[in-house]
Amino acid sequence: MENGPLYQRKVLLGVSGSIAAYKSAFLVRELIKWGAEVQVVMTTAAKDFITPLTLSTLSTRPVYSTFLHEKDEKYGVWNNHVDLGLWADLMIIAPASSNTLSKLVTGACDDLLSAVYMSAKCPVYVAPAMDLDMYKNEATSSNLEELTARGVTVIPAEHGELASGLIGQGRMAEPEDICQFISAQLLEQLPLYGKNVLINAGPTHEHIDPVRYLGNNSTGQMGVALAHAARSLGATVTLVLGPTHYPLDLSGLHVVRVVSAKEMLTAMQEYYSSSVLTICTAAVSDFVPKTAADKKLKKTTMKGSMSIDLEETPDILATLGQTKRIDQRLIGFALETNDGVGYAKDKLRTKNADAIVLNTLSSTTGFESNTNAVEVFFQDGEQHSLPLTVKSELGEQLLHRVLDKFQWV
Ligand code: C5P
C-alpha cells in the first residue's frame, strides 16, 4: 500500500515459539503488501512451528535466529544484534510467547531476538499468543503491564478457539488486524494527521483560440513532491493541478484538474478554508487574452502580424492571502531570473504569505528540471537555503523546515 504509514518502513519481525508462528508467514506477506521491508528474526523454538525457509522466501531476506550465522558458523560470521536493532524503524514480535515476553521484561538475552529487542531504539509492538490459562496467568498480565509501562505497545490477543481446543483469549491477532492497528497508530502520531493541506501545481493554459494558449513549461513536480511529503506526514492532501503532461505519481492524493488561472482560483477557494496549510507552487499565467476566439484563428486574417489584447489573471496567492485566518499558513513560490531576494521579500508582504520559496531558472533548477535549489524567506525575516537536490527530496526538506518553523512538529 503505497504512501501508507508502513510504506518503505524497515520492520524487524520477531517470531517466537507458539503455534501461532504459522501466522507469521501471513504477517510477512501482509507487511510487504503494505510496502514494508521485513527482516525476520526467530527464536529456536519458533523453528519447530515454521521453517526459516518459508519466512526467508516470503520476506526475500535471510532469516536470522542465532548470534552466529548458521551457514558460516565455522567462519564465525556474527549476526549483529546492535546493527539489526538500529536498522529497524519498528519492531513487531508476533507471536510473542509467554517465555519471550518474560525475557523482554527481565532483560535476559540468551538469544538473538531478545538481544535485538534490547538494542532496538524504535517503537516495539508485541502480539501475544498462548493458551488461555497462560494468558490469564498473573505472570503474563504483569509482564504485559510492565512492557506497556516501558512504552511497548501490546496488540491484545483475541478471543476464540485455541490450538488446545479450548475457547478463550489467547489467539494472536490476525495479520491484517496487526497491520491495521500499527498503521492507525503510526498515522495518529504524524504531525499532519487529521489536517488538510492544499497545494497547487503545474502551469495554467489561457486560451487564445481552441488550439492555442498562453502557458509555460512548469511540470508540477515540485508541488507533487510537497504533496507526497505532506501526505507521508499524515495530511489529507488536495492537489489542484494545471495542464501538465509530465508523468507524475499522483497516488494517494485528491487531485482536482484545472486548465486556466480562473479555474485554479475557483478550485483553490473551494478547499482553502478547510486547509491549515496552503502551498502555491503553480506557475500561474499572469495574463489571459481578453477574449478567446471560438474558432481557430487563421493566418490569412492576420495580414503578416497580429496583436492579442491581454488582461491580468487573478492572483490566486494574493486572493487567498486576503482571507487568511490566524490558524492558517500560506506559502508561495517565486521563480525569478533577477533580483530574486528583493522580489521574494516583496511578495511576502503584498501577498500576505507566511513564507516565500525562491527558486531561480537554470538547467538544474526551476521548470522542467527534476532537481531544484531554493531559498525560503519567512515573515519574521528568517531565511534558509536548501541546496540542490532532486525535487522529491527537496519537497521533504522544505516541508520539514516549514513545519519546524510553524512549530507543527
Ligand atoms: O507574482 P508572482 O507570479 O511572481 O508570484 C509567484 C507566486 O504567486 C507563486 O506562488 C504563484 O503560484 C502565485 N501566483 C498566483 N496567481 C497568479 C500569479 C502567481 O497565485 N496569477
Side-chain angles (χ1 to χ4, degrees), residues 198-202 223 226 240 264 268 272 277-284 315-321 329-334 351 353 355-357:
L198 175 61
I199 297 175
N200 67 12
L226 282 161
V240 177
M264 190 173 267
M268 292 296 282
Y272 181 60
L277 175 64
T278 299
I279 310 178
C280 293
T281 73
V284 185
D315 190 316
I316 300 167
L317 179 60
T319 310
L320 300 179
R329 295 286 176 271
L330 180 62
I331 298 175
F333 268 63
K351 305 200 185 208
I356 289 287
V357 182

Side-chain angles (χ1 to χ4, degrees), residues 36 41 51 117 129 159 183 187 241 277 303 325-326 329 371:
V41 175
T51 70
Y117 166 77
H159 192 277
S183 300
L187 211 59
L241 185 61
L277 175 64
K303 299 188 183 92
R325 295 189 312 263
I326 197 154
R329 295 286 176 271
T371 55

Side-chain angles (χ1 to χ4, degrees), residues 272-276 320-321 323-329 354:
Y272 181 60
S273 69
S274 58
S275 302
V276 289
L320 300 179
T323 58
K324 190 174 63 163
R325 295 189 312 263
I326 197 154
D327 62 321
Q328 289 182 301
R329 295 286 176 271
D354 296 284

Side-chain angles (χ1 to χ4, degrees), residues 23-163:
K23 286 191 188 173
S24 306
F26 297 97
L27 183 52
V28 172
R29 291 191 68 163
E30 192 64 21
L31 285 164
I32 285 176
K33 213 164 86 187
W34 282 74
E37 252 181 87
V38 185
Q39 172 63 59
V40 177
V41 175
M42 64 200 299
T43 64
T44 309
K47 291 190 207 167
D48 292 333
F49 297 98
I50 186 161
T51 70
L53 182 62
T54 306
L55 297 177
S56 66
T57 307
L58 293 172
S59 64
T60 67
R61 283 170 165 269
V63 166
Y64 301 122
S65 91
T66 53
F67 288 102
L68 279 181
H69 202 303
E70 279 145 69
K71 267 197 200 137
D72 300 313
E73 242 165 59
K74 62 176 180 233
Y75 304 112
V77 177
W78 179 243
N79 288 327
N80 192 327
H81 58 92
V82 179
D83 285 351
L84 284 167
L86 295 179
W87 170 86
D89 293 324
L90 57 121
M91 181 171 189
I92 309 170
I93 304 180
S97 67
S98 170
N99 181 48
T100 289
L101 287 173
S102 73
K103 285 205 274 183
L104 304 185
V105 172
T106 60
C109 36
D110 58 350
D111 63 12
L112 186 66
L113 174 52
S114 41
V116 169
Y117 166 77
M118 294 287 284
S119 303
K121 289 194 170 145
C122 59
V124 180
Y125 296 81
V126 293
M130 62 200 75
D131 210 45
L132 78 161
D133 292 316
M134 287 175 90
Y135 196 68
K136 269 199 259 169
N137 191 295
E138 250 179 58
T140 306
S141 34
S142 79
N143 283 340
L144 291 175
E145 268 169 39
E146 184 54 38
L147 288 173
T148 307
R150 293 184 201 171
V152 172
T153 306
V154 177
I155 306 173
E158 290 171 359
H159 192 277
E161 197 178 325
L162 302 165

Side-chain angles (χ1 to χ4, degrees), residues 207-213 292-297:
H207 275 283
I208 298 168
D209 70 16
V211 295
R212 302 181 181 95
Y213 56 80
D294 55 0
K295 291 200 184 71
K296 184 182 170 192
L297 296 172

